[in-house]
Amino acid sequence: MDASNKESALNVNASSIKISDVSQDGDMLTFAITSQNLSGSGGVCVFRTYEDFIWLQQSLFSQEDVPELQGVIFPPLPDKPLPSHSHTQAKVLKQLGFLSLGDKWQIYCKALELYLQQVAAHTLLSKNKELYNFLSSSESPGKQRSKKGIFNRLSQVMEEMRKEGHKDVDEFFQSERDKTTNLSVLFKVATEKFLEVVLTKQKLALACGHFSTSLHLCVNQENADAVAFSKICLKLSDIIETMKRNFEKVSDNDMSTLGLGLELESRYQEAKREMLFRRTCRLVELDNANKNVDRAKPNKKAHMEEVQKATQKEFNLISSVAKQEIVHYHRTRVQVLRDFLIDWCEKQLSTAQESSTLFSQYLEACKGLAV
Amino acid sequence: MTAWEPPDSRRRSLHGYHCQAKMAEEREPPPLGDVGQADFVEVEDGEDLFVSTVTTIEQLSPTTPEPSCLPAEDISTNSNGPKQEILLDDDQEDLFAEATEEVSLDSPEREPILSDGPSPAITPVTPTVIITPRAEASMFDRSLDEDEDTEENGDTFDMQITVSDPEKVGDGMNAYMAYKVTTKTSLNLFSRNEFSVKRRFSDFLGLHSKLASKYMHIGYIVPPAPEKSIVGMTKVKVGKEDLSSAEFVEKRRSALQRYLTRTVTHPALLKDPDVIQFLENTELPRAVSTQALSGAGILRMVNKAAEAVNKMTIKMNESDAWFEEKQQQFENLDIQLRKLHASVESLVCHRKELSVNTASFAKSAAMLGNSEDHTALSRALSQLAEVEEKIDQLHQEQAYADFYLFSELLGDYVRLIAAVKGVFDQRMKTWSKWQDAQLLLQRKREAETKLQYANKPDKLQQAKDEIKEWETKVQQGERDFEQISKNIRQEVGRFEKQRVKDFKVVIIKYLESLVHTQQQLIKYWEAFLPEAKAIA
């Protein structure tokens, strides 16, 4: 690709990226992505599947010639959206959490949208020309490559455990590593627990629905007393129906704000942890290189020293990028969580006010019911 | 009518429960198929504890409840409700005078003989056990409508009964719970305006037993007494002071209060000397025949068997369509109420689950708040944890409302319907007796006619005497039948009016609880919003 394309990638207005629609064909979802230039002229709309997103993510990872990338906290891509049938529901829930809930993949789309916005807003990542193709080319991006680049290094669990504990040379990073290990678990747990709460609310809505229907069936017109009783049952049926709608609204609010926020935060914490791990791996390499220099036989020593210098240089580069990333992350995550919390609170407040009014109206009506 | 007031924010407090109940610090998770809610026969006294195990086996439900919630289905097929009110034989033999049975959600009368054990009382199935008893559950007790007039006296009905202060008396298997029964009234029937006595559970059963034997056969709907529960009481006896036995006691206390209130709402029962004695007298003779396999218990079992057979053979010529319609109506109502009851149980169950999950989330949010570096975010997260804890509290309160208002109301009415059906059955029996008398009279007349040609003057005289005797009996039979029919019409009318009233009162209280919950939520969210906005 030539230089003009490189500039075009930077021209995308990150916050204008929207997932405006999603259509489902069997098990396959297709997302409509719209975006605009920074100059405000010319919007573009493309259609992408989840596989295309994976391709994009891999492209971002696999720029071998940019060693700084290893210090980048990659915006986390949500897991594959599996439409849930009754037998797969538990699995989908476990994998996607809040992202699997809500009408028509609303929450999932929001998460994807945020992903694209974060990538496009990132100083390093937005320079990737594949991003431009992804956002504006009418053709499908390339097929998935074989997993290359940094991806591979993350898949070795045993190695990970051993290296994870490797002591750091830098206090800042050691402290960051410790905190992240702790916080990412806590966020994950909190997200799971909140999901349980929301699911229970949905169950309650269902139970209210059953109750309301049963009441509706208690109608009997045979005599004056039966009529009076029927009236009461119908009234109660309406009340329970309102309760049901209240639960549905409340859980919707939960899902689309705090639920999504917690979900995103726990994934981002994971991404940060992965970045720190990559750096730690490099640190291990550096320590090995240092040892090799000390142990090297005289004829090899010069070579080892070169390796050591190169490793050291790369490590310093990665560390400085990492530091910037962490600082930036700390700032933005607080903003993001704040926005979600405020949104959640405002929505729940409004729902509570509506319900309070409705129930009060019922109360007045019932008090006036002649018996 | 007392307005619904929010329960005290002190969690898990027991009103006047004098046992040193040690409150579990953590919430007890819903026990798996807690046996306390399964179906067992109870015996009030320690000595009969093991005697009644025979009937226990028969009463065991085929399905044990799962810890997850029951689907909202009709429970009548595999219901574990207490047994139905059994009809009393009001013959001259006083053998059965004290016989009484617990009323159940099932209709065992339709079932083969042996399944009718003596007073098998089975508590309705509640999958989860966590209803923390609170003084405030008494908020949900439906107070008498103070404007209700009695049909007889025309005075304004002014009476309030409360059952309170459950107190464990004695030790080990001989222990029992004593309840304080307080009456406040301005009626002339009573010697004082306000008085209280101590009663134990078997006293209530004894009262019911007496009332049933006196009034059911003339067609009065006698409110059924609360059910026995062997496991519940055993836990209390052995001194297991935990959440579930405390809940059991509270549930029982509330049920006893509702029972007494219903009983005195009935104009005839209110004036009954046994009722007055029950409410006023400091000492009451111990009711012993309420136990399972006592002498009276065995007679009851035999009696029930005979009843069931009789019922199958009585084919009544119903001349009055009203009765036929009403019976059908009550059959339908029975089914509907059971369905509703199952729905509400499901609701209560889920609500408790929500409370548990909310508390769990609150804890994890608090941990987040503690570990979070950013000061403002950390504070907001801690606030979030507090809000969720408060919301958990609301869930618990709402669960009490669900239970004490609806679930218990519906359960009460299912049992009341059984009593109503019992009264209809009594009418059938009365009719049958009348028919039998007519038949016998006919035979006596035939016999007399024969004797007229046999020239046996003293036998003839005897026959004539017998005819006179049976003529009287036939007349009495007819009068009885007319009387019971008349009474039933009146009772059904009263019952239906009362039903509407009861439900209306409950719905209003429930709405008040709903409004209260939302208003509390509004407060909490309004308080949290600035905290969220303060995150910089």
Side-chain angles (χ1 to χ4, degrees), chain B residues 40-43 49 52 56 121 228-235:
Chain B
F40 282 102
V41 176
E42 162 197 284
V43 183
L49 179 63
S52 54
T56 303
K228 297 175 174 176
S229 159
I230 206 179
V231 182
M233 265 325 283
T234 310
K235 273 198 200 166

Side-chain angles (χ1 to χ4, degrees), chain A residues 102-118:
Chain A
D103 262 346
K104 290 210 308 180
W105 298 100
Q106 268 170 12
I107 300 180
Y108 189 85
C109 290
K110 194 90 185 91
L112 268 189
E113 191 178 280
L114 285 169
Y115 164 75
L116 285 175
Q117 288 176 358
Q118 286 158 354

Side-chain angles (χ1 to χ4, degrees), chain B residues 278-323:
Chain B
F278 182 90
L279 291 173
E280 278 191 328
N281 288 24
T282 326
E283 292 295 319
L284 212 60
R286 210 63 177 87
V288 291
S289 61
T290 56
Q291 285 143 21
L293 282 183
S294 55
I298 296 183
L299 287 174
R300 277 201 291 278
M301 184 157 46
V302 171
N303 185 34
K304 266 197 209 187
E307 292 282 346
V309 174
N310 280 345
K311 277 248 344 246
M312 293 192 276
T313 56
I314 295 179
K315 277 244 149 67
M316 179 164 168
N317 278 344
E318 187 57 77
S319 53
D320 193 340
W322 186 90
F323 283 91

Side-chain angles (χ1 to χ4, degrees), chain A residues 69-245:
Chain A
L69 276 184
Q70 293 181 46
V72 164
I73 302 176
F74 285 86
L77 177 66
D79 286 333
K80 187 175 165 82
L82 297 163
S84 66
H85 312 291
S86 49
H87 52 277
T88 57
Q89 193 146 29
K91 186 172 146 220
V92 172
L93 207 54
K94 199 161 162 52
Q95 208 167 353
L96 290 176
F98 276 102
L99 303 184
S100 67
L101 298 177
D103 262 346
K104 290 210 308 180
W105 298 100
Q106 268 170 12
I107 300 180
Y108 189 85
C109 290
K110 194 90 185 91
L112 268 189
E113 191 178 280
L114 285 169
Y115 164 75
L116 285 175
Q117 288 176 358
Q118 286 158 354
V119 171
H122 195 286
T123 40
L124 277 176
L125 297 177
S126 60
K127 293 198 182 108
N128 191 315
K129 41 199 191 261
E130 305 298 355
L131 177 64
Y132 176 74
N133 283 343
F134 182 90
L135 287 173
S136 40
S137 165
S138 51
E139 285 169 25
S140 279
K143 288 272 177 248
Q144 273 187 46
R145 306 175 184 181
S146 60
K147 298 190 178 185
K148 277 166 55 172
I150 325 169
F151 243 153
N152 277 343
R153 298 193 197 179
L154 303 176
S155 64
Q156 283 137 41
V157 179
M158 287 308 293
E159 193 186 325
E160 189 170 319
M161 272 167 52
R162 186 168 52 86
K163 288 182 180 174
E164 185 96 42
H166 190 96
K167 203 156 179 326
D168 213 299
V169 296
D170 185 331
E171 211 180 285
F172 170 79
F173 280 104
Q174 183 65 55
S175 137
E176 281 299 318
R177 280 161 62 188
D178 295 336
K179 278 190 286 189
T180 309
T181 311
N182 187 24
L183 261 185
S184 69
V185 166
L186 289 179
F187 266 103
K188 196 156 183 297
V189 166
T191 312
E192 283 167 5
K193 301 254 178 232
F194 194 56
L195 184 59
E196 283 299 311
V197 170
V198 171
L199 290 174
T200 314
K201 287 181 191 173
Q202 290 183 324
K203 279 194 226 169
L204 261 170
L206 265 175
C208 286
H210 283 139
F211 188 28
S212 171
T213 311
S214 304
L215 282 165
H216 218 82
L217 296 175
C218 286
V219 174
N220 180 341
Q221 303 291 335
E222 286 179 33
N223 59 49
D225 287 322
V227 165
F229 187 65
S230 303
K231 264 201 213 148
I232 291 205
C233 285
L234 285 176
K235 201 81 194 162
L236 185 58
S237 176
D238 289 340
I239 294 169
I240 304 294
E241 187 68 30
T242 308
M243 266 172 68
K244 170 185 162 203
R245 282 196 291 268

Side-chain angles (χ1 to χ4, degrees), chain B residues 104-151:
Chain B
S104 89
L105 293 178
D106 267 332
S107 339
E109 285 209 6
R110 271 69 169 168
E111 287 166 10
I113 293 165
L114 277 180
S115 64
D116 294 358
S119 347
I122 303 165
T123 46
V125 167
T126 336
T128 57
V129 88
I130 304 169
I131 299 198
T132 311
R134 310 159 60 102
E136 303 71 20
S138 60
M139 293 302 175
F140 302 126
D141 293 326
R142 295 176 288 288
S143 60
L144 287 173
D145 184 347
E146 273 139 5
D147 293 341
E148 182 187 343
D149 288 350
T150 57
E151 288 141 83

Side-chain angles (χ1 to χ4, degrees), chain A residues 179 186 193-194 197 200 203 211 217 220 223 229 232 243 247 333 338 344-345 348 366 369 371, chain B residues 326 329 336 343-344 351 353 357 360-361 371-373 384 499 504 507 510 518 525 533 535:
Chain A
K179 278 190 286 189
L186 289 179
K193 301 254 178 232
F194 194 56
V197 170
T200 314
K203 279 194 226 169
F211 188 28
L217 296 175
N220 180 341
N223 59 49
F229 187 65
I232 291 205
M243 266 172 68
F247 276 121
R333 74 181 274 264
R338 175 182 184 270
W344 178 59
C345 187
Q348 296 293 33
C366 276
L369 251 188
V371 168
Chain B
K326 277 301 172 190
Q329 243 187 318
Q336 286 168 347
S343 284
V344 173
R351 185 106 55 185
E353 203 187 315
N357 289 345
S360 182
F361 173 61
S371 303
E372 177 60 54
D373 261 350
L384 171 63
R499 169 168 57 126
K504 187 187 168 195
I507 290 177
Y510 192 68
Q518 295 303 319
W525 292 127
K533 288 192 169 156
I535 304 171

